[in-house]
Amino acid sequence: MPIDVRHADLADLDALVAIENAAFSGDRLSQRSLRRLTGSRAAITCVAEEGEKILGYALALTRRTSGIARLYSIAVAPDETGRGVAALLLHHVENAACARGFRTMRLEVRADNEPAIRLYEKTGYRSFAQYENYYHDGMSALRYQKALCALNTENGPR
């Protein structure tokens, strides 16, 4: 069965919370935050699903005054890892940000999250900074960014 990616809606909220809680040991998004962000025009929230089952989600934040989108969270159900779900979600959220006129995606990733770092580097992200003591347990965050799409000369830069 193919994995489809679509924009999330409030009917997905319980699945998003379950994946968030299963994927992260700390620094989790609350149900309230996920509800607010899923309904926000300043956020891009995508889900990957196979049939009726949601496998993971990606969430990017945007600001009208910036050409930079921020990948805020990406999570895959632990029993679905290794299937390319995260890469599929990342690609979809990047395309959605580009379609909205954002030219760069930035993110923070735990310095010890080797699978995520490999994914980001493999897909063109480059490290440009580090935040010390960023996560709840004192782990540092590596900051990455990627150019999303060529400048659209019809609409100009955002």
Side-chain angles (χ1 to χ4, degrees):
M1 185 173 294
I3 298 173
D4 296 312
V5 179
R6 63 172 172 78
H7 287 284
D9 57 45
L10 290 177
D12 301 320
L13 189 58
D14 288 342
L16 296 179
V17 171
I19 290 168
E20 181 76 8
N21 290 333
F24 300 115
S25 61
D27 293 316
R28 294 181 184 124
L29 290 168
S30 67
Q31 181 178 26
R32 181 179 181 179
S33 291
L34 285 165
R35 174 182 286 119
R36 181 178 52 81
L37 292 168
T38 298
S40 172
R41 290 190 307 192
I44 301 166
T45 309
C46 305
V47 294
E49 64 184 353
E50 188 173 41
E52 299 293 315
K53 182 180 181 186
I54 294 180
L55 310 176
Y57 81 89
L59 170 64
L61 303 178
T62 63
R63 287 194 327 245
R64 288 179 300 147
T65 59
S66 174
I68 300 171
R70 179 177 176 218
L71 182 66
Y72 192 66
S73 185
I74 188 166
V76 175
D79 59 339
E80 301 296 340
T81 60
R83 299 183 59 202
V85 175
L88 192 61
L89 284 162
L90 182 61
H91 180 72
H92 190 85
V93 79
E94 289 171 348
N95 286 342
C98 181
R100 290 189 186 187
F102 294 90
R103 300 295 175 235
T104 302
M105 182 76 75
R106 285 189 176 168
L107 61 88
E108 292 83 32
V109 60
R110 287 180 62 92
D112 64 350
N113 189 342
E114 293 176 17
I117 291 168
R118 276 194 306 273
L119 170 65
Y120 298 137
E121 291 180 352
K122 180 180 173 184
T123 57
Y125 284 83
R126 297 293 170 250
S127 181
F128 71 94
Q130 181 169 327
Y131 288 137
E132 299 298 327
N133 198 28
Y134 186 77
Y135 292 98
H136 74 285
D137 60 357
M139 178 58 62
S140 297
L142 303 177
R143 297 191 71 202
Y144 280 81
Q145 71 179 16
K146 175 183 178 178
L148 293 180
C149 42
L151 183 63
N152 181 340
T153 55
E154 277 182 37
N155 297 328
R158 235 189 112 99

